[in-house]
């Protein structure tokens, strides 16, 4: 006997099985899903990396040898041949070894190239000049530039207010700006005169000060 099966009448087309189509459809959807997920996974890190590079320096912290040596008393650090302001900033870490045990403290304030303060005292004061290392904290360079520019603008406005406000009613004091010894900024100078002068006379005298860029 032949194989038994469903009777098919003449003129009727055999029905196609939907099973294979369903499997194929699911396979296509699964492939598309994987492709979409892969696309998202690839794009996201690139976007995040780009945003990070514009704002924060993402380099791995590096422990560097500090210039010179230091002594300490409580939270005050005294430098000997050091360059604190060139090498470190507030928020950086300073590291020393006491009896072969490393101790790390956070730099709170840089007072000069040879003086700074730390978050808490070392276990022992450093009475003898001691070598040190430091780690620079990650920087948000864009924000630092913005803060620096804003501070410079405020200082300039205050200097001008002080200088120009003095001439409101005349007087016997000439106030003008002069380049500092470093040549990178200006300082306010005050000169006492031998008589009272009008505002116009004071402004004329000030205009003759070639170093004053606001005249």
């Amino acid at each position: 006997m032949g194989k038994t099966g469903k009777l098919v009448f003449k003129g009727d087309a055999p029905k196609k099985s939907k099973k294979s189509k369903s499997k194929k459809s699911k396979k296509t959807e699964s492939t598309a899903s994987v492709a979409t997920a892969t696309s998202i996974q690839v794009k996201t890190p690139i976007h995040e990396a780009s945003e990070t590079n514009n704002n924060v320096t993402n380099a791995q912290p590096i422990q560097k040898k500090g210039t010179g040596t230091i002594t300490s008393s409580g939270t005050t650090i005294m430098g000997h041949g050091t360059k604190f302001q060139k090498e470190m900033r507030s928020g950086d870490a300073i590291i020393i070894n006491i009896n072969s045990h490393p101790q790390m403290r956070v730099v709170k304030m840089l007072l000069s190239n040879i003086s700074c303060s730390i978050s808490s005292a070392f276990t022992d004061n450093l009475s003898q000049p001691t070598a040190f290392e430091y780690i620079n904290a990650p920087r948000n360079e864009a924000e630092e530039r913005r803060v620096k520019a804003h501070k410079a603008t405020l200082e300039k406005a205050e200097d001008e207010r002080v200088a120009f406000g003095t001439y409101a009613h005349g007087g016997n004091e000439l106030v003008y700006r002069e380049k500092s010894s470093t040549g990178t900024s200006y300082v306010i100078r005050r000169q006492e005169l031998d008589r009272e002068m009008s505002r116009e006379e004071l402004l004329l005298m000030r205009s003759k000060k070639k170093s004053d860029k606001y005249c």
Side-chain angles (χ1 to χ4, degrees):
M1 290 179 68
K3 293 182 180 179
T4 60
K6 194 172 184 181
L7 289 175
V8 178
F9 293 96
K10 188 175 180 181
D12 290 345
K15 294 183 180 180
K16 294 182 180 179
S17 173
K18 295 182 181 180
K19 191 173 182 181
S20 60
K21 182 178 179 181
S22 175
K23 284 185 179 179
K24 186 176 180 181
S25 175
K26 286 182 180 179
K27 186 176 180 181
T28 306
E29 288 176 4
S30 175
T31 306
S33 223
V34 171
T36 305
T38 305
S39 174
I40 293 172
Q41 289 172 0
V42 170
K43 287 181 181 178
T44 302
I46 294 175
H47 173 71
E48 290 174 351
S50 174
E51 186 175 352
T52 301
N53 290 338
N54 288 336
N55 296 305
V56 181
T57 302
N58 239 1
Q60 290 294 325
I62 300 173
Q63 194 164 321
K64 303 175 186 176
K65 180 177 175 58
T67 302
T69 56
I70 61 172
T71 54
S72 72
S73 176
T75 58
T76 301
I77 303 291
M78 288 75 72
H80 308 275
T82 50
K83 299 178 180 177
F84 289 156
Q85 291 179 318
K86 182 178 180 181
E87 295 177 339
M88 299 187 296
R89 299 182 192 179
S90 297
D92 290 349
I94 187 167
I95 306 160
I96 52 99
N97 278 291
I98 295 180
N99 298 325
S100 300
H101 295 291
Q103 294 190 25
M104 180 186 293
R105 297 293 185 270
V106 176
V107 176
K108 299 297 289 182
M109 184 182 299
L110 295 171
L111 305 174
S112 68
N113 273 325
I114 58 171
S115 180
C116 71
S117 63
I118 53 178
S119 54
S120 59
F122 296 120
T123 53
D124 294 312
N125 285 332
L126 304 176
S127 56
Q128 297 297 321
T130 304
F132 71 98
E133 295 182 327
Y134 63 94
I135 298 175
N136 295 129
R139 308 289 186 211
N140 188 331
E141 295 178 354
E143 178 63 14
E144 288 180 1
R145 284 194 298 269
R146 188 193 69 77
V147 171
K148 186 177 180 180
H150 181 64
K151 183 179 178 181
T153 301
L154 292 178
E155 288 177 349
K156 177 181 173 182
E158 178 61 16
D159 286 346
E160 289 182 354
R161 185 190 68 78
V162 171
F164 284 105
T166 305
Y167 301 143
H169 306 288
N172 64 342
E173 185 181 51
L174 175 66
V175 182
Y176 59 95
R177 294 171 68 97
E178 189 175 72
K179 273 193 174 181
S180 64
S181 56
T182 60
T184 58
S185 60
Y186 285 80
V187 294
I188 296 292
R189 301 293 187 195
R190 297 177 180 276
Q191 178 184 338
E192 189 173 347
L193 306 173
D194 56 2
R195 68 181 180 85
E196 290 283 331
M197 291 191 175
S198 66
R199 180 175 183 275
E200 288 73 20
E201 288 175 316
L202 290 172
L203 288 173
L204 179 60
M205 290 182 68
R206 182 180 174 184
S207 68
K208 293 178 180 178
K209 298 288 185 182
K210 296 181 180 179
S211 60
D212 196 332
K213 65 178 182 178
Y214 290 104
C215 289

